[in-house]
Amino acid sequence: MNTLPKSWILLAIFFAAISKSYGQDALPSWNDGPAKQAIVEFVKATTTVGSPQFVAPEERIATFDQDGTLWVEHPMYSQVMFCLERVPAVVAEKPELKNIEPFKTVLSGDREAIAKLPKDELMKILAATLTGMSTEQFQAEVNAWIDTAEHPRWKKPYTALTYLPMQEVLEYLRANGFKTYIVTGGGQDFVRVYSEKVYGIPPEQVVGTAGGTKYQYDKNGNPILIKEPKLLLNDNNAGKPEGIHLMIGRRPVAAFGNSTGDQQMLEYTNAGDGARLSMILLHDDPVREYAYGPAEGLPKTRVGTFTQPLFDKANKDGWTVISIKNDWKRIFAFEE
Amino acid sequence: MNTLPKSWILLAIFFAAISKSYGQDALPSWNDGPAKQAIVEFVKATTTVGSPQFVAPEERIATFDQDGTLWVEHPMYSQVMFCLERVPAVVAEKPELKNIEPFKTVLSGDREAIAKLPKDELMKILAATLTGMSTEQFQAEVNAWIDTAEHPRWKKPYTALTYLPMQEVLEYLRANGFKTYIVTGGGQDFVRVYSEKVYGIPPEQVVGTAGGTKYQYDKNGNPILIKEPKLLLNDNNAGKPEGIHLMIGRRPVAAFGNSTGDQQMLEYTNAGDGARLSMILLHDDPVREYAYGPAEGLPKTRVGTFTQPLFDKANKDGWTVISIKNDWKRIFAFEE
């Protein structure tokens, strides 16, 4: 009879775990409204046994864009910041680059000039800072950067600038048997370094823009993989569903994005049978975060292009628009 | 108090589940010997809390070659059989191919002539039967084939010709928190169709030779992905660790193969820190299965090249060779 208390403790833990996912409000940072309601109803419809829209656990795939959907993308993608900040180290190793463009401009620190660098010049920076080293060296470099880099506005690490309401959606979906994936236009190897720590998403569930690697041996004869400037997957636009097929092999039932680069992922997800959740995030809060896209008529930026046609398509196809201003009670975990 | 019996039932289920993975012999189809011992000791070392070689659950990645490692690869890879058997359907749609090589030879049914087709002619067959259709059409075709095709020797479906001892290893590793992956030179899209049913491995855990897809719309405006004859990943030799990095992003701690195509995956796995398990399967049982490679001095075949240098490397680097003849009590589930 003395095992009875232990068994009761186990059961208590068991029921506590259940009530965590069902009993409380799983989305406390969301205001009541159509966006929150769409998420909760989708989860209920797809996970209730006997529901006509029930989705088998192994088919519960949810995909999330990262920049502008899971964390702040303004004024510049974090990965571009990483690349720019790596330039001094690259030039220290190859001093001949010092007086050559675009490295010269980046070293000058002139923010306006850097922001105006044409795309093919920017690609030279990316190639120089993202390739040519072993995958392990690269991981160490990203890790060191992510631990120290700060966002210029909030003076906080980028990893603190994830959207709390989206973290709640990730948790809520996982508690209901969904496998959550990041599907990002950013570098797959870059995001994989911190995805587990920041979002609870393991590296193998990160799909992103990916380059090739070359298997070879270091001077001690140990096998290493060297990152090559060879594009295998441009994980933007049509590349998102193509990347999802390559890396996951199933069509998602839920997808979240915030720009034209996510359009095909959202429509591919939405075109499947049964219950579907396609959500698109509108940055319409100039005070607490940023406002860009059709809601404010801001000038086009390099990041997060949410155009009027995309807005129209979202409404026409029955995607749900998330308004940061109206749907989010709280944006960041560090806020009161 | 009337909830008490229910709680006892739950606990009984709980302890039954535990004893399944720890109490019994998890590898009953294996003879006692160095191969079985290597597997059991590896699992104990990597999963016992406090062990100096303990591996965190999220790092427990095990990769398995498919053809010749998880199921029979002689006399011909199953995927090549699929492609050859698809030729009549392809020619029915494009009758102009009927009198053109290599289609003419395949339609003749002359096995010897087919076996002699040079590699670039064979590639034309693969391109014609593996690309040009939507991913969903292709899945339906593979599904229909796998349900009806038979191996010429055993007159059984290919799916019955998986090695029972390897199925036990998959189960045993999963019961101990490992994530099991197939890493195959075969087509990723092909193997993903049946991997869950046959091995309990979901499509997203199959890495294989992969072609590109093109996102487009069908005549009703629905988005589809068309399989293109564009190679993204040749998942053989150095392509195996490169594919593992692309698709998983972590170095495996255990790997299983049977040919020179698996060498780099095995050495990459083995070169990591801590406990490592690299195993290579030797087909040395001409009676119960097949014998090929250095053990029998058989002529080189198109499949499963286990050369003497590979054998020497395995011994030198401390990989464990599995002898089908000596290590496996039983090969197939359908045997007595």
Side-chain angles (χ1 to χ4, degrees):
Chain A
M1 282 302 284
N2 62 353
T3 60
L4 196 58
K6 265 190 204 158
S7 70
W8 279 101
I9 290 166
L10 278 175
L11 282 173
I13 292 168
F14 179 58
F15 287 113
I18 286 179
S19 72
K20 198 189 161 195
S21 36
Y22 295 103
Q24 302 164 357
D25 180 2
L27 304 172
S29 301
W30 291 71
N31 290 317
D32 290 329
K36 180 174 181 172
Q37 198 182 338
I39 299 167
V40 173
E41 281 177 4
F42 168 80
V43 168
K44 207 176 285 177
T46 53
T47 62
T48 305
V49 179
S51 154
Q53 299 192 300
F54 182 78
V55 174
E58 67 272 16
E59 294 286 345
R60 292 181 198 161
I61 303 286
T63 56
F64 293 79
D65 170 57
Q66 187 195 217
D67 294 300
T69 298
L70 293 179
W71 74 2
V72 173
E73 64 183 353
H74 264 257
M76 210 179 254
Y77 295 130
S78 57
Q79 188 180 354
V80 175
M81 296 295 285
F82 166 79
C83 293
L84 294 174
E85 292 177 21
R86 284 286 305 158
V87 166
V90 168
V91 172
E93 266 183 45
K94 290 184 191 171
E96 68 274 19
L97 296 176
K98 204 168 69 176
N99 296 311
I100 296 175
E101 289 298 354
F103 302 96
K104 196 177 158 187
T105 297
V106 175
L107 289 171
S108 76
D110 177 346
R111 283 198 186 192
E112 260 183 62
I114 294 169
K116 279 182 192 151
L117 282 173
K119 202 178 168 186
D120 56 336
E121 293 286 280
L122 203 58
M123 292 309 287
K124 285 183 198 166
I125 306 275
L126 301 196
T129 52
L130 299 175
T131 67
M133 70 291 282
S134 77
T135 52
E136 278 155 12
Q137 271 175 285
F138 180 72
Q139 283 159 6
E141 285 169 12
V142 177
N143 249 325
W145 182 81
I146 208 96
D147 282 348
T148 56
E150 282 191 354
H151 189 279
R153 173 170 162 187
W154 284 278
K155 311 286 179 211
K156 287 189 181 291
Y158 289 91
T159 53
L161 294 168
T162 65
Y163 303 131
L164 185 60
M166 293 306 291
Q167 292 274 17
E168 291 170 359
V169 172
L170 288 170
E171 279 273 340
Y172 179 47
L173 288 174
R174 288 195 291 255
N176 284 282
F178 283 82
K179 221 168 175 173
T180 54
Y181 282 82
I182 290 174
V183 177
T184 174
Q188 181 169 282
D189 281 350
F190 183 79
V191 180
R192 280 178 170 178
V193 173
Y194 55 80
S195 62
E196 183 132 39
K197 197 166 55 180
V198 175
Y199 303 111
I201 294 178
E204 60 269 29
Q205 284 165 226
V206 174
V207 180
T209 295
T213 56
K214 195 169 168 54
Y215 185 78
Q216 55 190 62
Y217 304 90
D218 69 12
K219 56 179 188 280
N220 301 316
N222 292 318
I224 49 172
L225 291 164
I226 298 293
K227 285 173 66 63
E228 293 208 299
K230 188 183 82 181
L231 187 67
L232 286 185
L233 173 66
N234 178 359
D235 200 41
N236 283 295
N237 307 101
K240 288 214 173 188
E242 290 163 6
I244 288 169
H245 178 74
L246 177 67
M247 308 286 290
I248 311 176
R250 308 188 199 251
R251 192 194 295 246
V253 285
F256 299 76
N258 81 303
S259 81
T260 49
D262 303 313
Q263 177 179 327
Q264 288 83 351
M265 173 171 77
L266 292 162
E267 69 184 15
Y268 178 63
T269 301
N270 215 44
D273 297 330
R276 298 281 146 176
L277 184 66
S278 285
M279 300 194 86
I280 187 148
L281 189 61
L282 179 65
H283 293 264
D284 59 355
D285 193 327
V287 179
R288 296 188 300 164
E289 204 239 5
Y290 294 99
Y292 46 102
E296 301 287 324
L298 287 188
K300 264 179 88 170
T301 61
R302 260 196 183 143
V303 298
T305 323
F306 189 150
T307 61
Q308 189 62 44
L310 181 62
F311 198 72
D312 298 342
K313 186 174 171 60
N315 286 321
K316 184 175 143 280
D317 290 2
W319 308 351
T320 305
V321 176
I322 301 167
S323 155
I324 291 188
K325 196 172 171 182
N326 301 320
D327 288 314
W328 289 358
K329 202 177 288 176
R330 201 173 150 191
I331 300 183
F332 303 113
F334 61 80
E335 293 173 334
E336 286 298 297
Chain B
M1 283 302 283
N2 62 353
T3 59
L4 195 58
K6 265 188 204 160
S7 70
W8 279 103
I9 291 166
L10 278 176
L11 283 175
I13 291 168
F14 179 58
F15 288 112
I18 287 179
S19 72
K20 198 189 161 198
S21 35
Y22 295 103
Q24 303 163 358
D25 179 1
L27 304 171
S29 301
W30 291 71
N31 290 317
D32 289 329
K36 180 173 181 172
Q37 198 183 338
I39 300 167
V40 173
E41 281 176 3
F42 168 79
V43 169
K44 207 175 285 177
T46 53
T47 63
T48 305
V49 179
S51 153
Q53 300 192 300
F54 181 77
V55 174
E58 67 272 17
E59 295 285 345
R60 293 182 197 160
I61 303 285
T63 55
F64 293 80
D65 169 58
Q66 186 194 219
D67 294 299
T69 299
L70 292 179
W71 74 1
V72 172
E73 65 182 353
H74 265 257
M76 210 177 255
Y77 295 130
S78 57
Q79 188 180 354
V80 175
M81 296 296 286
F82 166 79
C83 292
L84 294 174
E85 291 176 22
R86 284 286 307 159
V87 166
V90 168
V91 172
E93 266 183 45
K94 292 185 190 172
E96 68 272 20
L97 296 176
K98 203 168 71 176
N99 296 310
I100 295 175
E101 289 299 354
F103 303 96
K104 196 176 159 187
T105 296
V106 175
L107 290 171
S108 76
D110 178 345
R111 285 197 182 192
E112 260 183 63
I114 294 169
K116 279 183 193 151
L117 282 173
K119 202 178 168 187
D120 57 336
E121 292 287 279
L122 203 58
M123 292 309 287
K124 287 184 196 165
I125 306 275
L126 301 196
T129 51
L130 299 175
T131 68
M133 70 292 282
S134 76
T135 52
E136 278 155 11
Q137 270 175 288
F138 180 72
Q139 283 159 5
E141 284 169 11
V142 176
N143 249 325
W145 183 81
I146 208 97
D147 282 347
T148 55
E150 283 190 352
H151 188 280
R153 172 169 162 187
W154 284 278
K155 312 287 179 209
K156 286 191 182 289
Y158 289 91
T159 54
L161 295 168
T162 66
Y163 303 132
L164 185 60
M166 294 306 292
Q167 292 275 17
E168 291 170 0
V169 172
L170 288 170
E171 279 273 338
Y172 178 48
L173 288 174
R174 288 195 292 253
N176 284 284
F178 283 82
K179 221 166 174 174
T180 54
Y181 282 81
I182 290 174
V183 177
T184 174
Q188 181 169 283
D189 282 348
F190 183 79
V191 179
R192 280 177 170 180
V193 174
Y194 56 80
S195 61
E196 183 131 42
K197 197 166 57 181
V198 175
Y199 303 111
I201 295 178
E204 61 269 28
Q205 286 167 225
V206 174
V207 180
T209 295
T213 56
K214 194 168 170 52
Y215 185 77
Q216 56 189 62
Y217 303 90
D218 69 12
K219 54 180 190 281
N220 301 317
N222 291 317
I224 49 171
L225 291 164
I226 298 293
K227 285 172 67 62
E228 293 208 298
K230 187 182 83 181
L231 187 68
L232 286 185
L233 173 67
N234 177 0
D235 200 42
N236 283 296
N237 307 102
K240 289 212 172 189
E242 290 163 7
I244 287 169
H245 178 73
L246 177 68
M247 308 286 291
I248 310 176
R250 306 189 201 251
R251 192 195 293 247
V253 284
F256 299 76
N258 81 303
S259 80
T260 49
D262 302 313
Q263 177 179 326
Q264 288 83 350
M265 171 171 79
L266 292 162
E267 69 185 15
Y268 178 63
T269 300
N270 215 46
D273 296 330
R276 299 280 146 174
L277 185 66
S278 284
M279 300 193 86
I280 187 148
L281 188 62
L282 179 65
H283 293 265
D284 59 355
D285 193 328
V287 179
R288 295 187 301 164
E289 204 241 4
Y290 294 100
Y292 47 101
E296 301 287 324
L298 287 188
K300 264 178 87 169
T301 61
R302 263 198 180 141
V303 298
T305 322
F306 191 149
T307 61
Q308 188 62 43
L310 182 62
F311 198 73
D312 296 342
K313 185 174 171 59
N315 285 321
K316 183 175 143 281
D317 290 1
W319 307 351
T320 306
V321 177
I322 301 167
S323 154
I324 292 188
K325 196 171 169 181
N326 301 320
D327 288 314
W328 288 358
K329 204 178 284 177
R330 202 172 150 193
I331 300 182
F332 303 113
F334 60 79
E335 292 172 335
E336 286 297 297

